[in-house]
Amino acid sequence: MTRFSAILPFLLLLFCLKMAGQKKSLQAVSVTENITINGKLDETVWNSAPIATDFVMFEPDNGKPLDHSKRTEVRILYDNKAIYVAAVMYDDEPQKMLREITERDDFGTSEHFGIFINGFNDGQQDYRFFVSAAGVQMDALATEATEDFSWNAIWESSVKVTDFGWVVEMRIPYAALRFSPEAKQTWGLNFFRELRRYRQKYTWNRVNTQIGAFIPQAGILEGIENIKPPTRLFLIPYASYYYDYTDHEAGNTFKAGLDIKYGINDSFTLDAILVPDFGQTKFDNVVLNLTPFEQQFNENRPFFTEGTDIFNKGSLLYSRRIGGPPVADVVLSPDEEIIESPNSVDLLNALKLSGRTKGGLGIGVLNAVTERTFAKIRNTVTQETREALVSPLVNYNLLVLDQRFGGNSSVSLVNANTFREGNFRDANVSALVWDLNTKANTYKLAGDFKYSTINETVGFENGYDGFKTAVNFIKTHGNHRYDLLAKYISKDYDINDMGIAFINNYYNFYANYNYRILNPTKTFNSFRFDLSSSIEFQNQTGKVQDYYWIASTNFNSKKNDYWNASINVHPITSYDFYQPRVDGRYSYNPRTASFSTLFSSNYNRKFAIDVNPYVSFADEQDRNVFEFYVSPRYRINDRVLLVLSGDYIFHTNDRGFVDFDGTDILFGERDRKTVTAELSGRYSINNRMTFNLTARYYWSYAEYDELFTLRNDGFLNYLTNNPATVSPYDENLNLWNFDLTYSWWFAPASQISVLYRNNALDYRTAIENNLGRNVDNLFSNNLNSVFSISVRYFIDYNSLRRKS
């Protein structure tokens, strides 16, 4: 054997690795003629544009080339206003393509094409635009951590289904992108195709799943030069009408306001809302909350969900604080009562400024102002009324400076402050956050240091400070990966004026090991095993407040059904420093072991189902938890989808805080039952017009049979089981929510929406075990209704200027 022949295999391996790591490039072609977005590609200039093809599978079989019979060909043109994308998806069985019609940003069960654009080519953030074979648009701001589909850009697309597959034509204005002011642009670029019926995803430039980062593995778009984008100024006025029937009283309300989007330059955008209207946002899934913490709700208001990725740096923003419940208590004299008590505060205005410089510095500024809010008080003797201030004028501010570097690393400075008018609490929180990745994106070092300052009254007489710090080391590549975390939070660390954090005053160590397959086997399309452990110590006492081991596995079968199983063990007695509701006191938590499984059948089938049983056993007699969740769904056709879900939870001999009795802290032993039933349905007339139905019934009760007093060592002393003493603490809650909506996107970013909503609440301390009687009580005289119509119209300043 010659020396050359001996090293030839090694040279071939190096060549293959080198080719796999190379970035593809595509040249965009300048165009002066008008491009009509109709899916026909009938302009001759398309023939002169270079073709991007040779797609490679991302998952499940990473690296496998796309079969020639389903090849994809993409071209890009550009002018001074936008880029134009033409994609031809060949399919030798076009009659088998999935084409469910959904709402915007809902992928549903359909084939998809997407383009991912990084205007700074820094491997940090993509602007992603998808179109389904049914013509539905989806768009997102994507980082390695999140894919934010609440962001909605204004762009055009058209789809044509042919006898050889399907065609997408897109027009993406520069206003929907962010890029440097350079005369010669170089963008990060990738294309995406999903063959949904096979549950396969492909990209143009290969994304190697051995590497723990997606965005830096994009290709390159070149050729865009000397563009002069028009002014980016968009106005979206709105008008809404509401008919409200609540507590047997009817009312009519008319609202009007304005959203403004202004592109300061190609990199920065200002968003502002004047006199906002959030009356048609989704209802909250309220529960019977027996914990020491407030219930955390999802944000459903578009302004606070769209394009907020930079504002999530440091996790200091819980936007439901803005316009949330009033902060002040009302002081009453013995002869007074509250006759009107607002449960939220109106938002006067809000603005967001965000963007990124050529050097990779991201800047985000969020400001919101809420109005003074009053409760109405009546004197029961004189019948005179007065107002009491329950929330002053409040100014919320968030500043983020996020410096990107090195392909996929960043360091951020964040400041959140809340200023309340008058003698009310103010707060300030600052954070340093880092996310450092190796050049090959194989290891990550992340962490933070945060410092909070609270001023309870003017002059800082009752103020307090606190801090939190954490460091996290992660292996992000290969089949075998791990994650190590250490964290410390001081006693007075408090971000709850603008953020949310339930617990503090502890230090924590966490470790995770996981194994995954990166390509399918004979049995699995995907497989992952995780083993995690975490331990938390309370700072002052050194007592363990949480300690667990979790082993879990999940996989997708060859039929693309999903399975998951997990075991969670708390092997020692731990201590809860929050359940007693008194600083310095704590209660014990017994040893527990829990088991859960999840089966989710392939949603490609017309009928699919999710099943999730769960059991937990405590090291105490008959103290257990049983839960069973089931959710069948049926896709009647490409226009109609119905989803039903039911959840049953039963706690036996649960123990928790009940009340105070002088200096004693009372705990109770209780049985808890919760039943939740939800129905959602969608009828899509076309890809711009849909009806949606959402209904939720919730019933939960806590029935007490014994009372205890809490000892100083965290354990309990028996007090009584006398029903006359115990039963007054019982709680029984029934809730009903129903939304029926019609939505019509009659022009780009312009919408007519109609909502009919009704809801009911019944709360009592008498336990009613019969489901039918609970429903009767709920609907007997508690049903409230709302009917509303809202119109939003998008105005492009440039179109107004052309008409003038």
Side-chain angles (χ1 to χ4, degrees):
M1 179 184 290
T2 66
R3 181 178 300 176
F4 177 77
S5 62
I7 65 172
L8 180 59
F10 178 70
L11 294 174
L12 288 174
L13 176 62
L14 288 178
F15 176 76
C16 291
L17 291 173
K18 177 69 174 177
M19 293 300 293
Q22 286 184 340
K23 291 178 176 288
K24 294 180 180 178
S25 64
L26 181 66
Q27 196 79 11
V29 173
S30 177
V31 61
T32 55
E33 65 181 283
N34 289 329
I35 304 296
T36 302
I37 306 302
N38 55 16
K40 297 179 180 179
L41 310 185
D42 44 8
E43 293 86 2
T44 57
V45 68
W46 284 118
N47 298 325
S48 65
I51 298 173
T53 188
D54 297 330
F55 280 47
V56 179
M57 192 182 295
F58 171 61
E59 60 183 24
D61 198 356
N62 186 251
K64 182 179 179 180
L66 178 59
D67 189 84
H68 181 75
S69 65
K70 293 179 175 60
R71 66 193 181 278
T72 305
E73 297 177 351
V74 190
R75 298 171 171 88
I76 291 184
L77 307 174
Y78 76 95
D79 58 20
N80 274 331
K81 300 176 183 177
I83 67 167
Y84 303 85
V85 183
V88 180
M89 276 67 64
Y90 288 89
D91 197 316
D92 56 342
E93 298 177 302
Q95 72 280 4
K96 294 184 179 181
M97 292 194 311
L98 298 174
R99 302 177 59 215
E100 183 183 10
I101 304 172
T102 65
E103 286 189 292
R104 180 171 179 153
D105 290 332
D106 183 354
F107 280 80
T109 306
S110 187
E111 318 285 316
H112 295 95
F113 169 79
I115 177 173
F116 304 165
I117 297 173
N118 181 335
F120 294 93
N121 192 30
D122 59 3
Q124 298 272 357
Q125 185 182 62
D126 279 345
Y127 289 78
R128 295 182 177 176
F129 305 86
F130 303 86
V131 183
S132 77
V136 179
Q137 291 185 348
M138 292 131 284
D139 44 20
L141 284 179
T143 64
E144 292 302 328
T146 61
E147 199 171 20
D148 178 13
F149 283 96
S150 65
W151 175 76
N152 287 320
I154 299 160
W155 51 288
E156 297 177 63
S157 62
S158 182
V159 168
K160 292 293 181 184
V161 176
T162 69
D163 58 359
F164 58 81
W166 58 296
V167 178
V168 174
E169 193 169 16
M170 306 163 68
R171 179 184 184 273
I172 303 175
Y174 297 125
L177 304 170
R178 302 293 177 270
F179 48 88
S180 73
E182 297 296 306
K184 186 175 182 179
Q185 297 288 319
T186 301
W187 294 354
L189 175 72
N190 220 335
F191 301 113
F192 169 89
R193 181 178 179 183
E194 181 180 20
L195 287 167
R196 174 71 189 198
R197 65 185 184 273
Y198 304 124
R199 303 299 288 262
Q200 294 174 348
K201 298 177 180 179
Y202 294 83
T203 58
W204 168 60
N205 201 80
R206 185 192 173 185
V207 177
N208 187 348
T209 53
Q210 287 270 7
I211 300 172
F214 185 104
I215 297 174
Q217 299 187 65
I220 300 294
L221 178 66
E222 298 175 311
I224 299 178
E225 299 180 358
N226 301 314
I227 55 175
K228 298 178 181 179
T231 301
R232 292 190 292 124
L233 175 58
F234 309 120
L235 308 175
I236 308 177
Y238 81 86
S240 301
Y241 165 76
Y242 292 87
Y243 171 79
D244 186 359
Y245 182 80
T246 301
D247 295 331
H248 308 288
E249 293 184 4
N252 296 278
T253 305
F254 178 81
K255 296 182 178 181
L258 179 68
D259 291 2
I260 302 172
K261 297 180 182 292
Y262 175 59
I264 298 173
N265 54 36
D266 293 335
S267 302
F268 286 85
T269 299
L270 174 70
D271 292 273
I273 51 174
L274 306 176
V275 195
D277 174 29
F278 301 124
Q280 291 194 345
T281 55
K282 183 181 181 297
F283 58 79
D284 291 321
N285 290 338
V286 177
V287 301
L288 178 62
N289 185 9
L290 301 180
T291 74
F293 310 114
E294 65 181 296
Q295 184 181 351
Q296 185 173 356
F297 295 109
N298 294 329
E299 179 59 86
N300 298 315
R301 297 171 295 179
F303 179 84
F304 293 107
T305 60
E306 295 177 357
T308 56
D309 173 70
I310 192 169
F311 300 108
N312 294 324
K313 294 284 185 179
S315 302
L316 298 184
L317 176 64
Y318 174 48
S319 57
R320 290 295 295 263
R321 297 283 183 221
I322 303 171
V327 297
D329 295 325
V330 177
V331 179
L332 299 176
S333 68
D335 296 328
E336 288 185 321
E337 63 179 359
I338 300 175
I339 57 175
E340 290 183 12
S341 180
N343 54 22
S344 63
V345 177
D346 287 339
L347 181 64
L348 292 176
N349 55 65
L351 64 85
K352 295 180 296 189
L353 171 67
S354 61
R356 195 166 294 275
T357 68
K358 175 186 175 182
L361 176 63
I363 302 173
V365 177
L366 171 66
N367 173 262
V369 179
T370 57
E371 69 177 3
R372 300 179 187 90
T373 305
F374 298 86
K376 194 171 184 179
I377 314 299
R378 180 171 58 198
N379 188 295
T380 57
V381 177
T382 65
Q383 300 302 308
E384 293 180 347
T385 61
R386 67 180 178 90
E387 290 186 333
L389 184 67
V390 292
S391 182
L393 192 75
V394 186
N395 193 318
Y396 298 90
N397 299 279
L398 183 68
L399 170 67
V400 182
L401 302 175
D402 175 48
Q403 180 64 57
R404 295 174 177 171
F405 58 91
N408 192 28
S409 297
S410 65
V411 174
S412 305
L413 289 172
V414 187
N415 178 261
N417 58 68
T418 307
F419 295 113
R420 294 182 174 91
E421 179 185 47
N423 194 22
F424 286 86
R425 165 182 169 130
D426 296 329
N428 187 83
V429 185
S430 297
L432 173 66
V433 183
W434 60 90
D435 188 336
L436 310 177
N437 294 269
T438 58
K439 187 175 181 180
N441 289 294
T442 51
Y443 293 92
K444 176 195 293 282
L445 180 66
D448 58 41
F449 179 83
K450 303 175 184 179
Y451 195 88
S452 65
T453 300
I454 306 299
N455 172 23
E456 290 285 9
T457 59
V458 174
F460 291 85
E461 296 92 344
N462 299 316
Y464 57 91
D465 300 342
F467 71 94
K468 177 255 183 185
T469 188
V471 62
N472 192 193
F473 181 73
I474 310 171
K475 181 190 177 190
T476 58
H477 75 287
N479 299 84
H480 301 270
R481 307 187 188 192
Y482 56 82
D483 183 352
L484 303 172
L485 170 71
K487 177 167 55 177
Y488 180 89
I489 301 180
S490 71
K491 179 179 179 181
D492 291 326
Y493 176 70
D494 187 350
I495 64 171
N496 287 300
D497 289 79
M498 201 166 176
I500 189 165
F502 291 139
I503 63 176
N504 55 14
N505 198 24
Y506 70 92
Y507 57 98
N508 164 247
F509 301 100
Y510 167 85
N512 167 267
Y513 162 79
N514 62 82
Y515 168 80
R516 68 194 70 190
I517 63 171
L518 301 175
N519 295 91
T521 67
K522 293 181 179 180
T523 308
F524 305 113
N525 271 342
S526 67
F527 177 89
R528 173 167 169 161
F529 170 78
D530 280 79
L531 180 63
S532 303
S533 182
S534 175
I535 189 165
E536 289 181 7
F537 299 92
Q538 202 264 355
N539 288 336
Q540 277 72 40
T541 65
K543 289 184 176 294
V544 175
Q545 66 179 26
D546 193 21
Y547 176 45
Y548 65 77
W549 284 86
I550 299 177
S552 66
T553 184
N554 63 79
F555 60 86
N556 278 288
S557 70
K558 299 301 287 186
K559 293 183 178 180
N560 286 304
D561 295 321
Y562 175 82
W563 297 81
N564 173 276
S566 66
I567 301 174
N568 185 342
V569 177
H570 290 75
I572 64 173
T573 298
S574 60
Y575 297 89
D576 188 333
F577 288 79
Y578 308 95
Q579 188 69 230
R581 276 78 161 174
V582 174
D583 188 29
R585 299 295 299 275
Y586 52 86
S587 59
Y588 81 101
N589 288 322
R591 297 180 297 175
T592 62
S594 61
F595 310 87
S596 70
T597 61
L598 169 63
F599 169 74
S600 180
S601 63
N602 188 347
Y603 285 5
N604 283 359
R605 303 180 190 125
K606 283 185 172 292
F607 176 80
I609 191 168
D610 297 334
V611 181
N612 182 197
Y614 168 88
V615 294
S616 177
F617 304 102
D619 187 22
E620 285 183 355
Q621 184 175 2
D622 297 326
R623 185 172 179 178
N624 308 313
V625 182
F626 304 95
E627 179 176 5
F628 187 78
Y629 173 85
V630 61
S631 179
R633 58 174 55 218
Y634 186 65
R635 193 175 70 255
I636 297 174
N637 53 41
D638 285 338
R639 299 178 184 274
V640 183
L641 174 68
L642 295 174
V643 181
L644 178 67
S645 65
D647 192 20
Y648 175 82
I649 309 173
F650 187 44
H651 298 250
T652 60
N653 293 336
D654 180 43
R655 291 183 176 184
F657 171 85
V658 172
D659 201 357
F660 296 103
D661 183 13
T663 59
D664 286 333
I665 301 172
L666 300 185
F667 271 55
E669 184 172 273
R670 61 208 177 192
D671 288 342
R672 296 182 57 193
K673 181 188 289 185
T674 300
V675 176
T676 308
E678 297 185 16
L679 172 67
S680 63
R682 182 186 66 239
Y683 171 59
S684 301
I685 299 173
N686 53 45
N687 58 24
R688 296 180 181 273
M689 195 180 299
T690 57
F691 286 92
N692 282 277
L693 167 70
T694 305
R696 175 181 184 256
Y697 171 69
Y698 175 88
W699 169 38
S700 184
Y701 72 74
E703 186 173 19
Y704 291 85
D705 52 33
E706 291 182 339
L707 292 182
F708 304 85
T709 56
L710 180 66
R711 301 193 324 224
N712 288 330
D713 64 359
F715 290 87
L716 304 176
N717 282 334
Y718 173 77
L719 181 63
T720 182
N721 64 357
N722 184 344
T725 305
V726 174
S727 60
Y729 294 110
D730 292 345
E731 297 187 73
N732 192 94
L733 176 66
N734 282 270
L735 295 166
W736 166 256
N737 295 97
F738 176 92
D739 278 7
L740 177 63
T741 62
Y742 164 78
S743 177
W744 176 29
W745 293 91
F746 61 91
S750 302
Q751 181 187 28
I752 296 175
S753 57
V754 181
L755 166 69
Y756 172 72
R757 166 176 293 167
N758 64 47
N759 60 78
L761 180 151
D762 181 74
Y763 174 82
R764 57 188 67 203
T765 56
I767 300 298
E768 178 55 75
N769 283 298
N770 183 279
L771 178 61
R773 284 193 288 271
N774 273 281
V775 174
D776 289 341
N777 292 336
L778 179 63
F779 290 110
S780 59
N781 59 359
N782 299 301
L783 195 63
N784 305 312
S785 300
V786 174
F787 175 79
S788 67
I789 301 175
S790 181
V791 180
R792 298 169 59 86
Y793 187 72
F794 171 76
I795 301 171
D796 185 345
Y797 163 77
N798 296 290
S799 63
L800 295 178
R801 188 173 61 176
R802 286 192 295 268
K803 292 178 181 178
S804 62

